[in-house]
Amino acid sequence: MRLNGKAALITGGGAGIGAATARLFCREGAAVMLVDADGEALARTLAALRAEGRRAAGKVADVAMAAEAAEAVAEAVGQFGGLDVLVNNAALRRYKTMDQTTPQDWQDIAAVNLAGVANYCRAALPALRASGRGAIVNVSSCYAATGRRNMGLYDATKAGQLAMTRTLAFEEAEHGVRVNAVCPGSTFTDFHKERARAAGKPEAMLRQERQTTSLLGRWAEPDEIAHPILWLASDEASFITGTQLMVDGGLSAM
């Protein structure tokens, strides 16, 4: 019960890493507010949590909208009596080479992956400070620290999240709020399954594609990312702030 009695807000909580984190947080005693732009995915995850008797609420929102961030935080505080943990997991990606990107592409992805993180941090910080044991976990990417093709937009913003993590750690230490980041490697989420399905690619074939992108030679499951997020959010990591934890199966060592 690492989060017993705590309340958490998780963006991108409808599916993938966000939903896995929500399930784990609830099992560890937390109440959770899930935010996602996909109302159907959010409803499915909330229904599953409530069927297990978990304390969970949700809000359909675009993280790029600062006013909606303020509303989501206010709803969480109103329902749970406070807020102890913020997980910034929502993200937008575009598969383009750098010479193909447009100014609109940059504006769209930065609005979610950078401004979206800032929106929720800004909205949540008063409650996190009041908690006296607040924690922020930003879900970045292992590719914030290593290169690849066709994902420069996404990877640049994920690197920016690491800079934001370090800055916030400096600024919030005096207020008792810890700020850390996890950097997942290739994770077998619904997003990738749906992309493969749309391309007519069997799941078994998809699973074979990441054998060379980590020392472990496979995809991560969402739960394998959720557990490090849980640990950083818990009091077990009480002396850890301003760090980035590579959860990439050893890709960063290759």
Side-chain angles (χ1 to χ4, degrees):
M1 301 295 285
R2 291 173 175 86
L3 299 182
N4 192 37
K6 293 190 178 185
L9 188 153
I10 303 169
T11 69
I17 292 171
T21 301
R23 290 191 295 269
L24 183 58
F25 275 25
C26 285
R27 288 201 298 269
E28 293 287 338
V32 297
M33 166 66 77
L34 307 183
V35 176
D36 205 292
D38 186 337
E40 292 184 2
L42 181 62
R44 286 194 298 270
T45 298
L46 285 174
L49 291 173
R50 289 167 178 166
E52 296 176 0
R54 308 303 186 184
R55 194 175 178 195
K59 182 176 179 61
V60 178
D62 178 353
V63 298
M65 299 290 101
E68 294 179 9
E71 292 169 2
V73 169
E75 290 181 22
V77 171
Q79 291 198 43
F80 304 144
L83 189 66
D84 305 287
V85 178
L86 170 64
V87 178
N88 285 305
N89 171 68
L92 177 67
R93 64 185 73 205
R94 296 272 167 87
Y95 292 89
K96 290 186 174 183
T97 60
M98 294 298 289
D99 65 325
Q100 294 171 336
T101 60
T102 67
Q104 190 62 54
D105 288 326
W106 282 104
Q107 291 172 26
D108 291 345
I109 203 164
V112 172
N113 296 1
L114 291 176
V117 173
N119 288 340
Y120 276 81
C121 288
R122 182 171 55 249
L125 277 171
L128 295 174
R129 292 168 178 170
S131 164
R133 51 180 183 170
I136 296 173
V137 183
N138 294 323
V139 181
S140 179
S141 169
C142 65
Y143 291 104
T146 188
R148 59 176 167 172
R149 299 176 186 272
N150 302 329
M151 290 288 283
L153 284 161
Y154 180 84
D155 296 346
T157 55
K158 288 298 181 175
Q161 288 178 1
L162 297 183
M164 293 171 69
T165 297
R166 293 188 292 269
T167 297
L168 271 174
F170 267 99
E171 294 174 351
E172 294 304 314
E174 64 184 282
H175 302 293
V177 179
R178 297 182 298 104
V179 189
N180 294 290
V182 295
C183 297
S186 300
T187 307
F188 204 71
T189 63
D190 297 330
F191 173 83
H192 292 291
K193 295 176 188 177
E194 290 169 9
R195 268 188 96 233
R197 192 176 301 117
K201 184 182 299 182
E203 184 173 313
M205 183 181 297
L206 178 63
R207 283 193 176 275
Q208 299 300 314
E209 289 186 350
R210 301 304 173 98
Q211 292 184 341
T212 62
T213 58
S214 74
L215 291 178
L216 298 181
R218 62 174 178 83
W219 295 80
E221 295 298 329
D223 282 350
E224 292 180 294
I225 311 301
H227 278 277
I229 294 172
L230 166 68
W231 183 67
L232 286 173
S234 76
D235 291 338
E236 291 180 0
S238 58
F239 199 60
I240 299 176
T241 194
T243 195
Q244 57 196 55
L245 178 59
M246 306 304 289
V247 191
D248 63 356
L251 173 64
S252 52
M254 293 172 68

